[in-house]
Amino acid sequence: MSQPPICIAALYRFTPFANPAAIRTPLLDACQGLGIKGTLLLAREGINGTIAGSDEAITAIIAHIRALPGCDALEWKLSRAETMPFNRMKVRLKREIVTMGQPDIDPLAGVGRYVSAMDWNALIADPDTILIDTRNDYEVAVGTFKGAIDPDIQSFREFPDWFRARRAELEAEGRTPKIAMFCTGGIRCEKSTAFALSEGVQDVYHLKGGILKYLEEVPEAESLWEGECFVFDQRVTVRHGLEPGAYDLCHACRRPVSGEDKNSALYVEGVQCPACATERTDTQRARYAARQQQEDLARARGTHHVGGND
């Protein structure tokens, strides 16, 4: 059986870019010339993003990115899709490629010990290991590792304060933390484990390649993962083997939407879901409804609405 035609690359590299703005236009031109779509973030601390295209295009753009200063050791993971999961190509300049709000944290100066996907089960099955999911609340709600602590944060910026409070609780109990952290593709843990080390916690580990690598390599029969994994493209979630999951996306708040959510009286396609029904103004909902109407009309004509979501 032939494999799906679209190649998806999730990639990142922490490396000092003296002038990210000088990199932006040549990188965008290269992606557009190859027919690649998705989003790449550039900052002084490096590059991060997810892009999709043909096998040949992804091979070419990875070679282009690896030729950038300090990017030879670029981390990337590949998966596949039947259709293009993005609508356009964007290269954005940011203050951080993953926003933690801790400007003194430098993953290049030291991070936790990497643990491969095949060795992860043994680490987190150890009763002395404290397992922490570093992702946001809506991501954790879709799926997580058995026994993982959910920080219940809405933004990665909240993680440092949560970690400090949790560490104080553990030390009050007389426990010296042995901490294992994980995230979607590994990039957030580069910062979260570097932060833990900066706080004086030495016994820190993280899942190399993140949840995506685990779901790719670990057989489902041996897996300690429960649920699906949220991804930041139109697949919304993936299962073991990186097969597409069962969730859709709320285009108002960008949270995952389950079948149960869509049966709620609070769900209006393209306008709101149960999670964000009370978070938006009437003006915003009217704008979302107009956008959804345009997308419905474009779909009925068999065309693509350029203002659509990606």
Side-chain angles (χ1 to χ4, degrees):
M1 185 173 66
S2 61
Q3 61 182 359
I6 303 298
C7 183
I8 302 169
L11 59 90
Y12 73 88
R13 175 64 179 165
F14 283 99
T15 187
F17 286 149
N19 187 1
I23 297 172
R24 180 185 178 276
T25 299
L27 180 57
L28 178 60
D29 290 345
C31 289
Q32 292 177 330
L34 290 164
I36 289 171
K37 296 180 181 180
T39 299
L40 292 171
L41 306 180
L42 291 172
R44 288 188 176 274
E45 65 180 8
I47 185 170
N48 175 33
T50 304
I51 51 177
S54 68
D55 289 340
E56 296 78 11
I58 294 299
T59 297
I61 203 63
I62 285 177
H64 177 102
I65 294 171
R66 291 186 68 200
L68 296 175
C71 286
D72 183 60
L74 181 77
E75 294 273 352
W76 75 90
K77 289 170 290 299
L78 302 179
S79 57
R80 310 201 70 86
E82 290 289 348
T83 59
M84 172 60 73
F86 301 106
N87 291 334
R88 59 181 70 84
M89 184 66 221
K90 296 176 285 188
V91 180
R92 292 175 168 169
L93 298 176
K94 305 285 283 186
R95 294 180 64 87
E96 300 176 73
I97 57 173
V98 56
T99 303
M100 191 184 205
Q102 299 288 317
D104 295 331
I105 298 301
D106 180 10
L108 294 177
V111 296
R113 282 172 272 184
Y114 295 106
V115 180
S116 71
M118 300 307 295
D119 293 331
W120 185 248
N121 283 0
L123 172 65
I124 66 175
D126 183 341
D128 291 330
T129 298
I130 297 166
L131 180 61
I132 300 175
D133 193 328
T134 66
R135 300 172 303 151
N136 296 340
D137 52 5
Y138 64 90
E139 299 171 79
V140 180
V142 170
T144 191
F145 281 106
K146 182 178 181 180
I149 296 172
D150 175 10
D152 193 25
I153 57 177
Q154 296 183 347
S155 164
F156 194 46
R157 284 180 174 273
E158 299 172 30
F159 184 81
D161 287 342
W162 176 88
F163 182 85
R164 289 176 176 132
R166 180 63 178 171
R167 180 189 178 192
E169 292 173 7
L170 293 170
E171 291 177 343
E173 297 171 3
R175 300 179 64 184
T176 300
K178 174 184 177 182
I179 294 173
M181 299 184 185
F182 63 93
C183 58
T184 306
I187 185 171
R188 269 178 279 194
C189 289
E190 300 280 352
K191 280 199 169 179
S192 62
T193 60
F195 173 76
L197 292 174
S198 76
E199 293 286 298
V201 180
Q202 295 302 316
D203 214 3
V204 184
Y205 305 82
H206 57 127
L207 176 58
K208 186 171 177 60
I211 301 162
L212 296 180
K213 179 59 69 174
Y214 183 92
L215 294 179
E216 178 185 1
E217 293 189 351
V218 176
E220 187 171 1
E222 301 173 14
S223 175
L224 297 178
W225 178 262
E226 298 178 334
E228 300 182 8
C229 178
F230 182 82
V231 290
F232 296 88
D233 59 57
Q234 288 183 358
R235 293 173 298 170
V236 187
T237 61
V238 295
R239 304 184 179 106
H240 282 87
L242 302 183
E243 293 292 327
Y247 286 76
D248 287 327
L249 193 70
C250 173
H251 292 302
C253 68
R254 314 300 292 176
R255 294 184 180 104
V257 177
S258 67
E260 182 180 354
D261 291 330
K262 288 194 278 187
N263 288 329
S264 168
L266 295 175
Y267 177 74
V268 181
E269 184 181 3
V271 178
Q272 66 182 38
C273 70
C276 70
T278 62
E279 296 177 353
R280 298 297 189 266
T281 65
D282 289 343
T283 300
Q284 288 174 312
R285 281 191 286 268
R287 187 169 73 248
Y288 299 154
R291 179 185 62 190
Q292 184 64 35
Q293 183 179 36
Q294 291 300 312
E295 291 180 7
D296 291 342
L297 289 171
R299 191 180 302 115
R301 293 193 299 264
T303 61
H304 173 67
H305 174 47
V306 295
N309 294 284
D310 57 3

